[in-house]
Amino acid sequence: MTETWLLAALWLGLALVATLLSIWLRVATALSEIIVGTVAQLIIGATIGTSLLHTDDSWIKFLSGTGAIVLTFLAGAELDPTVFRTKWKEATLVGLVGFVAPFFGCTAVAYWGLHWGVQASWMAGVAMSTTS
């Protein structure tokens, strides 16, 4: 039981570090959480081993799934509606390019570079464009 509490304290400590870092550097919370998580995984994995984080535990998987949803919400909540209303043309252009470029780029790479079929390459384009 002590190991579970120690592990929970480690995960919550990393979340606290990410939050404080985002305030100190004045960057998006979602960005600092991704960076702190990646750096922690690299440092802990290289020095102690990846088994310390117990990433295969069911409660860690649940929390990581919930965190991914919250992270997506935070990224959308940091949009400023006032700025968006004044810069809607630029935002629309960036959004369209952010979707269309990966869509056609991944489709082309899958079709001509990897020699996939037509339907499979279109599916790869859809998958990559929606995640971008």
Side-chain angles (χ1 to χ4, degrees):
M1 186 67 169
T2 305
E3 183 179 329
T4 303
W5 287 108
L6 182 64
L7 186 59
L10 174 66
W11 283 98
L12 289 174
L14 289 172
L16 178 64
V17 167
T19 303
L20 294 175
L21 193 64
S22 72
I23 292 169
W24 185 60
L25 294 175
R26 298 176 196 248
V27 296
T29 307
L31 179 64
S32 68
E33 287 177 355
I34 291 170
I35 291 171
V36 168
T38 304
V39 170
Q41 175 73 23
L42 289 172
I43 291 172
I44 292 172
T47 58
I48 300 169
T50 56
S51 63
L52 176 71
L53 294 176
H54 294 275
T55 54
D56 288 335
D57 290 356
S58 61
W59 69 279
I60 296 291
K61 288 182 180 180
F62 171 75
L63 286 179
S64 66
T66 305
I69 293 169
V70 171
L71 194 62
T72 304
F73 171 76
L74 286 175
E78 290 178 353
L79 293 175
D80 187 8
T82 307
V83 173
F84 187 73
R85 277 189 214 107
T86 59
K87 303 282 186 178
W88 69 271
K89 291 178 186 176
E90 294 89 346
T92 303
L93 180 66
V94 168
L96 287 173
V97 169
F99 177 82
V100 172
F103 177 73
F104 286 117
C106 291
T107 302
V109 168
Y111 185 72
W112 286 298
L114 300 174
H115 305 292
W116 289 7
V118 174
Q119 288 182 334
S121 60
W122 283 114
M123 185 60 71
V126 168
M128 292 286 106
S129 64
T130 55
T131 56
S132 68

